[in-house]
Amino acid sequence: MNPRQYCVFGNPISQSRSPWIHQRFASQLDIEIDYQAKLAPEDGFADAFKAFVAAGGEGANVTAPFKEQAWQLCDRLSVTAKDSGAVNTLFLEGDKICGDNTDGFGLVADLHRQQVQLIDAKILLLGAGGAARGVIPALLNETPKSLTIANRTASKAHNLQNYFSDPRIHACGFDELLAGSFDVIINATSAGLARQRPDVNSSIIGTKTICYDMVYQAEPTGFLVWCHDHGAGQCIDGLGMLVGQAAKSFSIWFSAMPDIEPVIEELRRLLIQGK
Ligand code: NDP
């Protein structure tokens, strides 16, 4: 039997670890898959996904900058995807394109893994793109005291606030983040991909603040180094989230949940070895 075909779409995409992670899950569960990383043109995501399906593809992950376009492409949406307005997991039911979002699951599962307290926490979410959207329902579900969304382009943070319409959500631009620290700060911007960091004031960091960067790499990310240098209590990168969201996608496609711990450990080792 031919392996079942899945892929991840993004732009850029060469950095993606998703093919490696899904092959690992497939080996664990004795499933044969062919999972590729595919570069889609910025204005051509829908056509790229349809061509993939026409060639036998059964589902896909979606990464920056296509999560909102994937949402629009879907005939059916899970409750999480509908709530968040962003899709990172596509699958087929007959001729219908279905979408889910597993980023929130991956993030919250990783924060729990790291014993981070979210109940009654003052959370700051930096960024208002597809990744930020995707995690908002899961974060609100953890009953924080407040969720502040701050973005370089302030209007996009306000758009998210209006979309979710929850009294715990506040929205602003980076320059409006005044003194006063947060319990948890989550960097959901793509600044790190360009070796930059969100230009926010260090007064947002207190000695007990837990800083999370959705980006991950061999060495601590620029954002996490900056947080550490300004006295953060704990710094965590997004590797656990990456593997967690992938595991949830895999379970949607194959109705079986892989074991994430050995995959996180192995991926961390490979990153440190520069592989
Ligand atoms: P999008 O392209 O949808 O959004 C990008 C966001 O980053 C926008 O809010 C944008 O602000 C902001 N941004 C970009 N450059 C800068 C900069 N130099 N300074 C400040 N803000 C900036 O991307 P996604 O939301 O899909 O992804 C965001 C990041 O999260 C990516 O790095 C991605 O790799 C990571 N991610 C990690 C996951 C994991 O499992 N670990 C899962 C999902 C995402 P503006 O609106 O002003 O342009």
Side-chain angles (χ1 to χ4, degrees):
M1 209 168 89
N2 287 335
R4 296 173 63 182
Q5 289 181 53
Y6 291 83
C7 72
V8 55
F9 286 103
N11 187 338
I13 197 60
S14 58
Q15 81 290 350
S16 176
R17 296 280 174 166
S18 293
W20 183 90
I21 293 170
H22 282 280
Q23 291 295 350
R24 274 285 171 285
F25 292 160
S27 301
Q28 270 185 19
L29 293 160
D30 218 10
I31 295 168
E32 265 202 67
I33 63 166
D34 174 11
Y35 187 113
Q36 305 285 333
K38 288 194 183 286
L39 180 75
E42 294 224 3
D43 56 353
F45 167 72
D47 288 344
F49 179 71
K50 285 176 186 166
F52 176 65
V53 169
E58 293 184 49
N61 284 126
V62 182
T63 188
F66 297 125
K67 290 178 184 177
E68 282 123 326
Q69 290 180 47
W71 190 85
Q72 280 164 357
L73 180 68
C74 288
D75 303 304
R76 293 179 189 153
L77 292 164
S78 70
V79 174
T80 313
K82 199 178 288 173
D83 283 353
S84 65
V87 156
N88 81 334
T89 306
L90 290 166
F91 56 102
L92 303 172
E93 284 175 358
D95 61 351
K96 302 289 183 212
I97 300 173
C98 307
D100 204 336
N101 195 312
T102 67
D103 282 339
F105 172 92
L107 173 66
V108 168
D110 198 36
L111 289 168
H112 287 169
R113 242 181 103 245
Q114 312 271 358
Q115 324 275 320
V116 176
Q117 173 73 28
L118 296 171
I119 298 170
D120 279 337
K122 285 191 290 172
I123 302 176
L124 171 62
L125 183 61
L126 298 171
R133 261 181 181 281
V135 300
I136 289 171
L139 288 174
L140 290 175
N141 213 25
E142 295 294 306
T143 65
K145 181 180 283 173
S146 61
L147 176 60
T148 302
I149 306 167
N151 195 44
R152 179 176 63 178
T153 311
S155 58
K156 291 192 196 165
H158 288 289
N159 289 347
L160 283 190
Q161 182 184 29
N162 294 336
Y163 182 88
F164 286 98
S165 179
D166 185 298
R168 292 168 295 177
I169 296 185
H170 310 280
C172 61
F174 288 160
D175 51 351
E176 297 165 83
L177 277 174
L178 302 172
S181 61
F182 291 87
D183 300 312
V184 180
I185 300 175
I186 299 164
N187 179 23
T189 74
S190 54
L193 294 180
R195 303 253 160 223
Q196 296 171 349
R197 65 161 183 84
D199 186 15
V200 285
N201 193 296
S202 60
S203 64
I204 59 174
I205 301 171
T207 52
K208 292 188 178 153
T209 303
I210 293 161
C211 298
Y212 193 100
D213 195 345
M214 287 194 188
V215 175
Y216 58 89
Q217 57 190 35
E219 65 279 7
T221 67
F223 175 71
L224 292 181
V225 169
W226 177 80
C227 293
H228 177 266
D229 290 350
H230 288 90
Q234 191 182 348
C235 294
I236 307 167
D237 75 9
L239 191 128
M241 172 182 175
L242 175 77
V243 179
Q245 60 79 26
K248 184 74 177 165
S249 297
F250 193 94
S251 76
I252 291 168
W253 297 327
F254 298 106
S255 305
M257 191 70 176
D259 183 5
I260 63 164
E261 289 300 336
V263 180
I264 291 176
E265 279 170 30
E266 197 180 344
L267 184 51
R268 180 73 70 195
R269 261 198 314 276
L270 287 179
L271 278 179
I272 290 168
Q273 290 165 3
K275 292 184 186 160

